[in-house]
Amino acid sequence: LSGELPKQRMAHMQRRLSEWRAARKLKGSVHACAAMHRMLHGIARPTPTEAVERLCQVKEDRGREAELREAFKLLLGKEEAEDAVVESESLSPRGLQRALSAAGLLHPSGSSDGTVRACLRRFSAWGAEEVTWDDFRIVMGPAPPRAEATPEEQRESRGREREDACEKEDETTTAEEARACFACLDRDKRGKLSAGELREALEALGENVTTDEAEEMVRLGSGSAAVSEEAGGVLDEASLAAVMQRRFLPPLDEPLNLQG
C-alpha cells in the first residue's frame, strides 16, 4: 500500500502537468490573438495608478503570468527563448507586422509602417511605439477573483486543496475577442477544429505543439477522452471559451521531473 500511493500520486501529477502544458500553450495563443485584436481596434488605457496595480496583480499570479509570457513569446517570435531573454525585450513594429501576418490579421491596405506603429501606440500602457513585457502584463491584465467551484469540481478537489487553487474563471478576454481568436484558428471556416487542424493553426502562429499536446487541448475543450473527430473530439468556439474560463498552474511539486 505504501508503494501504491506514491505511484498513484505520480500518475496524478503527470496528468496535471500534461494538462497545464497543453492549456498554457492554447491559452497563450488565444491571449496573443486577443492582444493583436486590441492593438488593431484599440482599448482604454489604464491610468498610471491602475497600471501599477494591474502589474502587481499579474506578478502575484504565476498562472496568469505564465499564460501571458507564452503569448508574449509568440508575438516576439521567440517561443523557445528563455524567460529572462523574453522579459528583457520589446515588441517592435517589425515584430508586430510579422505576428499580424502569421495570424492572418494584416491586410495589404493596412500593412504600412505607420499603421503598425499606431497599433503599438494604442496598446502600450504609455503610448510608445513598442510594447514591453510590463506593458503587455498591464494591458492584458490580471485574472478576476476565483469563481465558486461546481459540486463536481468540489468532489474532484477533495484531497488536493493546494492544487485546486490553480483553477479560476478567466473572463478578461471579451466575447468579441474570443470570436476573433477562434476565427484566426479556424482557417477553413468549418466552425470546428480537429486535433490535427488545431496543431497546424497554432504552429502557423509560431507555437510548437506536439500531437499529444493538441489532443490534450481538444480533450480539455470537449470534456471527453475522445480525440477523433468522428467521436466528437473537436474544438469549437464554445469549447474554446470553456477552456479560456479555466486557469491552470503547474503541479506545485515542480521542479520534479515527471517525464522520467
Side-chain angles (χ1 to χ4, degrees), residues 61-114:
D61 185 343
R62 67 187 185 119
R64 178 68 172 179
E65 193 168 50
E67 293 172 7
L68 295 183
R69 186 181 291 107
E70 191 76 19
F72 196 57
K73 285 182 177 183
L74 285 180
L75 293 177
L76 291 175
K78 297 189 175 182
E79 197 272 335
E80 297 296 333
E82 295 291 331
D83 291 348
V85 173
V86 171
E87 292 170 11
S88 67
E89 298 202 9
S90 300
L91 180 62
S92 66
R94 184 176 180 180
L96 177 57
Q97 191 166 30
R98 178 204 55 76
L100 289 169
S101 296
L105 296 174
L106 191 63
H107 301 290
S109 60
S111 61
S112 70
D113 183 69

Side-chain angles (χ1 to χ4, degrees), residues 7-228:
K7 288 181 180 179
Q8 292 176 359
R9 178 64 175 170
M10 185 69 76
H12 175 71
M13 294 293 289
Q14 286 179 316
R15 178 63 179 162
R16 296 283 293 178
L17 186 58
S18 175
E19 286 184 352
W20 171 70
R21 286 174 171 161
R24 184 196 66 195
K25 290 188 175 185
L26 178 59
K27 295 196 69 181
S29 298
V30 173
H31 287 317
C33 289
M36 288 186 281
H37 187 273
R38 295 180 187 189
M39 292 177 194
L40 289 167
H41 300 282
I43 188 172
R45 188 172 295 155
T47 66
T49 299
E50 290 171 338
V52 172
E53 290 176 352
R54 288 162 72 94
L55 182 58
C56 289
Q57 288 176 310
V58 173
K59 286 181 176 180
E60 291 171 358
D61 185 343
R62 67 187 185 119
R64 178 68 172 179
E65 193 168 50
E67 293 172 7
L68 295 183
R69 186 181 291 107
E70 191 76 19
F72 196 57
K73 285 182 177 183
L74 285 180
L75 293 177
L76 291 175
K78 297 189 175 182
E79 197 272 335
E80 297 296 333
E82 295 291 331
D83 291 348
V85 173
V86 171
E87 292 170 11
S88 67
E89 298 202 9
S90 300
L91 180 62
S92 66
R94 184 176 180 180
L96 177 57
Q97 191 166 30
R98 178 204 55 76
L100 289 169
S101 296
L105 296 174
L106 191 63
H107 301 290
S109 60
S111 61
S112 70
D113 183 69
T115 300
V116 175
R117 290 180 184 275
C119 288
L120 291 170
R121 287 196 299 271
R122 279 195 291 265
F123 188 87
S124 169
W126 317 112
E129 291 185 356
E130 64 176 10
V131 173
T132 66
W133 171 227
D134 280 353
D135 277 326
F136 194 73
R137 287 181 288 183
I138 289 167
V139 176
M140 296 306 291
R146 173 163 163 67
E148 290 297 322
T150 64
E152 182 180 352
E153 288 172 335
Q154 291 174 357
R155 287 194 297 272
E156 292 177 351
S157 69
R158 291 192 182 106
R160 59 178 179 90
E161 291 81 4
R162 290 170 65 216
E163 292 176 0
D164 183 60
C166 77
E167 295 186 8
K168 303 178 182 178
E169 193 171 8
D170 183 356
E171 298 173 341
T172 53
T173 297
T174 67
E176 180 183 356
E177 288 172 348
R179 286 192 294 271
C181 293
F182 186 79
C184 285
L185 300 177
D186 183 22
R187 302 200 169 193
D188 291 337
K189 308 307 176 190
R190 295 198 307 137
K192 58 184 178 180
L193 294 164
S194 66
E197 290 169 332
L198 179 59
R199 182 184 180 187
E200 290 179 6
L202 294 178
E203 287 186 336
L205 293 177
E207 185 71 84
N208 291 327
V209 180
T210 67
T211 299
D212 287 345
E213 286 171 337
E215 291 177 350
E216 184 65 54
M217 292 171 187
V218 169
R219 279 193 288 266
L220 289 173
S222 67
S224 169
V227 294
S228 68

